[in-house]
Amino acid sequence: MLEPLPTLHPPRRPPTAYARNLPARAALNWLAAGWRDFRRNPGPSLAYGLILFALSWAVLIGLHATGLLYLALPSVAGFLIVGPFLALGLYEKSHRLAAGEPVSLGAMLLVRPRSRGQLAYAGLMLGLLVLFWLRAADLLYALLFGLSPFPGAGEALVNVLTTPRGWALIATGSAVGGLFAAFAFAISLFSIPMLMAERRDALTALGVSFAMTTQNLGPALAWGVIVAAGLALSAATGLLGLIVIYPVLGHGTWAAWRAIGAAEATP
């Protein structure tokens, strides 16, 4: 007598340690939470945004003074890389609001992260990533326009926008910059809040942030689109929008961390 065929079962996926099964629209909840934290005692958040606005213009003026203004657009992409690190004070405000503690600009600027020096290591690695991206942008320009002396920001902008080489530079630069920005977004989105709230080493935090981002890809991508749209709006307003938009996004990033990566939710 023939033996019955064994029952076939679909292969089981390995458990995903950091998946929270949140829909993409959860990013809108984080944005709303960021707006709520901004509206509660908005003075320190506005002052924080004003400081960042001044620093951003200082960078642009420095690039112009050194004849490197053509790196302004790559610098904007680099801002996406270091942005989560610059929002430390905003995370501190959201943490204090949740704990019912008083909030002041001084407390936001003099943050004491639980990971201490490991946060500086993470910031150093993100800074190096920005330098690599700027060097890559410089090399792309040299490959397409040669090693001739830089003609000046105005002529370079005309070359980029009105010539086939310039269009190729925009296409390749956007692709390469997108890869840099996507990788940096994945490793920094949750690692910086994590290093503020928990005792972790920098490399572990960066790796866990990458895992959290990839295992919650829907809401993480939606949040990335919101951040990119906010920065684009800020650029369209001559960076004035940063004064409000950046604090809201910073508080919202803390809400994202609380929803996906907070200590009580981590396995």
Side-chain angles (χ1 to χ4, degrees):
M1 185 176 180
L2 295 176
E3 294 282 341
L5 293 175
T7 304
L8 296 178
H9 297 282
R12 295 182 179 180
R13 294 183 177 181
T16 51
Y18 301 105
R20 303 291 176 250
N21 300 315
L22 296 174
R25 65 177 179 274
L28 296 176
N29 298 333
W30 304 338
L31 183 63
W35 176 244
R36 285 195 301 270
D37 283 355
F38 173 81
R39 291 180 60 190
R40 295 173 64 186
N41 192 1
S45 294
L46 283 171
Y48 202 94
L50 187 60
I51 292 172
L52 189 73
F53 168 77
L55 287 175
S56 300
W57 267 105
V59 170
L60 292 177
I61 292 171
L63 290 175
H64 181 269
T66 55
L68 299 174
L69 193 57
Y70 65 96
L71 291 177
L73 288 178
S75 297
V76 173
F79 184 82
L80 288 170
I81 298 175
V82 299
F85 183 79
L86 297 176
L88 287 174
L90 300 168
Y91 305 154
E92 177 68 10
K93 177 187 173 182
S94 292
H95 169 70
R96 285 174 172 265
L97 287 175
E101 299 177 2
V103 175
S104 67
L105 181 61
M108 293 170 65
L109 295 177
L110 300 175
V111 181
R112 294 184 177 180
R114 293 194 65 186
S115 294
R116 300 183 181 274
Q118 293 299 318
L119 188 62
Y121 288 133
L124 176 62
M125 284 184 268
L126 293 175
L128 289 174
L129 194 58
V130 172
L131 292 179
F132 287 146
W133 162 229
L134 292 177
R135 174 52 63 185
D138 208 1
L139 290 174
L140 283 174
Y141 185 89
L143 285 172
L144 290 169
F145 287 95
L147 298 176
S148 57
F150 183 64
E155 187 176 342
L157 186 61
V158 171
N159 290 338
V160 168
L161 295 179
T162 62
T163 66
R165 289 185 180 184
W167 302 332
L169 179 63
I170 292 175
T172 56
S174 299
V176 175
L179 291 175
F180 271 91
F183 176 71
F185 178 77
I187 64 175
S188 64
L189 177 59
F190 300 112
S191 61
I192 306 303
M194 184 189 309
L195 290 169
M196 258 201 62
E198 302 178 5
R199 293 182 62 86
R200 297 260 189 155
D201 67 274
L203 289 176
T204 297
L206 295 172
V208 170
S209 177
F210 186 87
M212 288 180 177
T213 302
T214 54
Q215 293 181 22
N216 299 276
L217 200 55
L221 283 177
W223 184 246
V225 170
I226 290 173
V227 170
L231 293 181
L233 181 59
S234 298
T237 59
L239 301 183
L240 274 172
L242 280 178
I243 299 174
V244 173
I245 292 173
Y246 186 77
V248 172
L249 294 177
H251 295 313
T253 299
W254 181 260
W257 154 249
R258 295 296 301 170
I260 292 178
E264 60 265 26
T266 303

